[in-house]
Amino acid sequence: MRHQLLHAAVLTPGGQWLVQHRAESPVQLLDGPTAIVDLAAEIQHHIRTTRNCIR
C-alpha cells in the first residue's frame, strides 16, 4: 500500500482474500494463502525492478 501498488486487502472468514489494486478498480478474490503469496511476490518484483530503473 505504501508504494500505491495495492489499495486494500481483506481476509474473509472463509480464508479467501478480497484485494483491490486501486480505489476505482474492481475487487479481486484470491483463493487462499498461495494466491496472496503470489501477489506479494509480484509486488516485490515490481518494486525491485522499478527501483533499479530509477537508480
Side-chain angles (χ1 to χ4, degrees):
M1 292 180 204
R2 188 173 92 198
H3 296 280
Q4 299 178 348
L5 298 172
L6 189 62
H7 177 70
V10 178
L11 179 62
T12 66
Q16 297 172 317
W17 286 86
L18 298 175
V19 176
Q20 193 174 21
H21 293 277
R22 288 182 301 272
E24 67 278 356
S25 66
V27 175
Q28 275 186 293
L29 180 65
L30 300 181
D31 196 24
T34 303
I36 201 74
V37 169
D38 290 342
L39 176 64
E42 287 177 30
I43 291 171
Q44 283 182 335
H45 176 74
H46 179 57
I47 290 169
R48 289 180 179 152
T49 56
T50 304
R51 185 184 307 150
N52 289 338
C53 290
I54 295 171
R55 290 181 182 176

